[in-house]
Amino acid sequence: MKTILFDLDGTLTDSGEGIINCASLALEKLGLPVPDRENMRVFVGPPLRESFPKFGVRDEDVEEAIAIYRSRYVPIGMFENTPYPGIRAMLAALKVQGHRLYVATSKPESMAKSILEKFELTNYFEAICGATLDGSRDTKEGVIAYTLSQIECYDEILMVGDTQYDVLGAAENGIRTIGVSWGYGKADDMIAAGAIKIAHSPAELLKVLL
C-alpha cells in the first residue's frame, strides 16, 4: 500500500480567491501597489514570509502584513474556497484501496484542519500536517519532514502537489512527486524541479496513483 502526501491549496481545494483577497488587503493597508489578480496567483502555495517581500513589503513589515492578511483570512478568506470537482471521489477510492493519506501543507495547520472539516474531507486523512503560526515550521521541506515524523512505517511514499515548491520540498526528504495541472503552479516548472508525472484531472491522478 502507498502512503500519499497531499498538498492542500491548489491540489485538493481551489483557495485562490480567499488568499488573493487577503494578500491584496495587506498590500493596500501598507500603502503598496496591488497587482492584478493574475500576478497575485503566486501567493497560493508558498509561505507568506516568502511571498510578501516579492511585492515590496520590507523585511521589518512582513509580520505586520501577515497579521493584516490573517485578520481577514481566519473569519472570511479561508472559506472563500472550494474542493476541486472529483477530489472527494478520488480520495474515497484511494481510501477503499487501503492507501494511507496525509495532508502536508504550508498553510498553518489549524487553518488547514478548519478548511477540511468545513468541506467534510477530514476523515479521508490519517493526519493533517501544516505550518506553525510563529514561522518555526513553514517551508514545504519542513512540513513534509514533520509529516514523515508522524508516520510509523510505510513502504512506498509519494507527494502530490501543484507547484515546484511541493516537488523540491519532497525531494529534500527523498520523496518523488506527482504534479497536478489544475492548481496554481506551472507544469513545466514542476517537471524541471523533478516531478515524475503530471496529472490533468483527479480521475487521471487516481489512475496514476493506483
Side-chain angles (χ1 to χ4, degrees), residues 161-168 171 177-181 185-200:
D162 70 308
T163 71
Q164 61 183 321
Y165 300 99
D166 299 307
V167 182
L168 295 171
T177 299
I178 297 171
V180 301
S181 66
K186 296 179 180 179
D188 288 346
D189 290 343
M190 288 186 279
I191 292 170
I196 60 173
K197 180 79 174 177
I198 303 294
H200 301 288

Side-chain angles (χ1 to χ4, degrees), residues 1-160:
M1 295 297 107
K2 297 182 181 71
T3 296
I4 306 166
L5 312 185
F6 285 93
D7 173 52
L8 177 56
D9 295 331
T11 300
L12 297 176
T13 68
D14 185 357
S15 54
E17 180 182 356
I19 290 173
I20 292 170
N21 288 343
C22 296
S24 297
L25 175 67
L27 294 176
E28 181 182 343
K29 292 287 188 181
L30 291 174
L32 294 168
V34 179
D36 61 54
R37 296 184 74 84
E38 182 64 26
N39 287 323
M40 293 288 283
R41 286 168 59 91
V42 298
F43 270 96
V44 184
L48 293 173
R49 289 178 178 85
E50 292 182 14
S51 297
F52 274 122
K54 297 176 182 178
F55 288 82
V57 177
R58 299 178 301 176
D59 290 345
E60 59 267 32
D61 294 331
V62 167
E63 294 306 316
E64 181 181 358
I66 292 173
I68 296 169
Y69 175 100
R70 288 178 178 164
S71 71
R72 184 187 186 280
Y73 190 77
V74 173
I76 301 171
M78 67 179 173
F79 299 123
E80 294 174 322
N81 192 353
T82 185
Y84 285 104
I87 287 295
R88 192 182 306 276
M90 178 202 67
L91 295 174
L94 290 170
K95 199 72 175 174
V96 166
Q97 292 281 344
H99 302 294
R100 302 176 67 192
L101 313 181
Y102 291 78
V103 170
T105 174
S106 296
K107 182 183 293 300
E109 189 171 295
S110 58
M111 298 179 191
K113 288 179 177 179
S114 295
I115 291 166
L116 291 166
E117 287 172 5
K118 166 76 172 179
F119 297 123
E120 299 181 348
L121 296 175
T122 304
N123 290 340
Y124 293 111
F125 300 101
E126 305 272 336
I128 298 164
C129 302
T132 53
L133 289 169
D134 63 5
S136 59
R137 183 179 70 241
D138 66 353
T139 66
K140 201 68 188 209
E141 176 186 352
V143 168
I144 292 173
Y146 170 70
T147 306
L148 294 177
S149 74
Q150 309 302 302
I151 303 173
E152 292 183 3
C153 62
Y154 52 82
D155 294 321
E156 183 179 1
I157 186 164
L158 292 167
M159 179 74 202
V160 175

